[in-house]
Amino acid sequence: MKNFPLGGATGLPGSLSVWKIAVPVAIVVLLLNSVFVISPSDEAGTRWLGGTPMTAAPLTTGMHFKVPFFEDVDRIQTSRSVYTLNALDVYTNDNQKVTIDVSIIYQIPSAAVMNLLYHVGRAGNFDIDATILPVVRDRALAAFAQYNTLTISDQRSQITAQMRKDVSEALRRLFNVETIDVQLTGIHYSPVFDQSIEEAVRAKNLAVQAENTVAQKKFEGQQKTVTASAEAQAAVERANGEAQAIVLQADAQAKAIASVGNALKTNPDYVHFYGMQRWNGILPQVVGAGSIPMIDLHSGEAK
């Protein structure tokens, strides 16, 4: 009888060593696929084989367990998020196109997590932005349609407040999403409208300049009128003064002559006195026929 070597006996230790490695690895893989962690900024739900939701309420921050390889985890951000919508075309009530940039700060409450994960769009956190976009576009169009293009800059705060109110109400009603703030971060007009505004501003500046020139000329004319009136008044007053001076002088002379005449009438010797006051002591160079006139210093008679 032949003795055959026991091949299994020689290979058994190797098989045992493989199992010693494979079993711990499998346990680690199962554990890793059985445990998942939710961060403080997220909440989550699970689905069985990617289909039926397994959680009735959202899973919050912490470590959780699932059936490995059979349950999928869907996370959604519940902390405040910022959604920016750039280059959105809207139209004003005078049919002018305006391009705007809108920024929305929103937050998903726990009550809305399951609905957004499994009842809006695709399952999971895939269509949140696409869900918000149509609402924001519609409310922005509605807000700008109430205003004229020329008044947008002046009424920007009113437009922003209207958009904030409309977007907040719509997102709360449709998806139970809480809107923190809505900001109108940019308003861009069409090149044609910008050109028309520049031309209008230029024309207005020219009109203001012309008005200022007219006002300046008018002021200068008024100043000249006032100056001429003052000069004329001064001339009148000066003429009145000169006339009054002449009248006073003539009146004084008349009174002087009258006084002299009265003196001559009442006192004949006044002639001798008057002649003595007026004579400069020089004999006349030319005399007529007859004697040389003399003044008697004693008798006061003129000879």
Side-chain angles (χ1 to χ4, degrees):
M1 181 175 183
K2 295 182 179 180
N3 294 323
F4 295 96
L6 296 176
T10 59
L12 185 58
S15 299
L16 290 177
S17 57
V18 169
W19 279 104
K20 287 180 180 179
I21 297 174
V23 170
V25 169
I27 293 174
V28 170
V29 170
L30 289 175
L31 289 176
L32 290 177
N33 280 273
S34 301
V35 178
F36 61 96
V37 177
I38 305 298
S39 66
S41 62
D42 296 339
E43 292 187 11
T46 61
R47 288 175 293 149
W48 183 259
L49 295 176
T52 305
M54 298 296 294
T55 51
L59 303 175
T60 58
T61 304
M63 185 174 64
H64 301 273
F65 294 93
K66 66 182 183 68
V67 179
F69 307 111
F70 290 94
E71 278 190 276
D72 296 325
V73 179
D74 299 313
R75 292 177 172 83
I76 189 170
Q77 182 177 340
T78 54
S79 60
R80 291 187 178 185
S81 303
V82 179
Y83 177 74
T84 301
L85 179 60
N86 295 319
L88 175 62
D89 293 334
V90 296
Y91 291 87
T92 59
N93 60 7
D94 54 341
N95 295 322
Q96 291 288 335
K97 184 176 76 171
V98 179
T99 303
I100 64 172
D101 302 324
V102 182
S103 180
I104 304 172
I105 302 175
Y106 67 93
Q107 186 171 11
I108 299 175
S110 296
V113 169
M114 301 305 293
N115 180 52
L116 290 174
L117 282 177
Y118 302 121
H119 298 93
V120 176
R122 291 178 296 170
N125 188 20
F126 296 102
D127 300 323
I128 302 302
D129 292 346
T131 299
I132 294 176
L133 174 61
V135 176
V136 177
R137 177 182 286 116
D138 179 73
R139 298 310 184 269
L141 287 169
F144 273 85
Q146 302 177 22
Y147 295 91
N148 186 278
T149 309
L150 296 175
T151 62
I152 287 177
S153 296
D154 295 334
Q155 297 177 335
R156 180 169 182 164
S157 59
Q158 293 90 322
I159 297 174
T160 303
Q162 184 67 38
M163 290 178 56
R164 184 182 300 114
K165 176 178 176 294
D166 294 344
V167 170
S168 178
E169 291 178 352
L171 291 181
R172 185 183 301 111
R173 184 183 70 255
L174 296 174
F175 311 113
N176 200 22
V177 172
E178 180 182 356
T179 303
I180 307 300
D181 194 14
V182 176
Q183 291 294 330
L184 187 58
T185 57
I187 300 177
H188 313 284
Y189 300 97
S190 65
V192 175
F193 183 78
D194 286 337
Q195 183 178 358
S196 65
I197 291 297
E198 291 178 359
E199 293 176 353
V201 171
R202 189 181 302 110
K204 183 177 180 180
N205 292 337
L206 292 175
V208 171
Q209 183 178 358
E211 291 178 358
N212 293 336
T213 302
V214 171
Q216 182 180 359
K217 296 296 183 182
K218 183 178 179 180
F219 176 76
E220 292 175 354
Q222 291 175 350
Q223 290 296 104
K224 291 180 179 180
T225 301
V226 172
T227 303
S229 177
E231 292 177 352
Q233 184 67 26
V236 170
E237 293 178 357
R238 185 167 55 252
N240 289 335
E242 292 176 356
Q244 291 177 2
I246 293 173
V247 171
L248 292 174
Q249 184 178 3
D251 187 53
Q253 291 178 352
K255 289 181 179 180
I257 292 171
S259 298
V260 172
N262 291 331
L264 291 174
K265 290 178 181 180
T266 58
N267 189 359
D269 289 337
Y270 184 73
V271 175
H272 176 71
F273 174 73
Y274 189 77
M276 291 295 293
Q277 284 185 330
R278 297 295 180 181
W279 185 44
N280 57 4
I282 301 174
L283 293 176
Q285 300 296 321
V286 179
V287 296
S291 60
I292 299 174
M294 296 295 292
I295 296 176
D296 187 356
L297 299 175
H298 299 286
S299 62
E301 294 178 357
K303 296 182 181 180

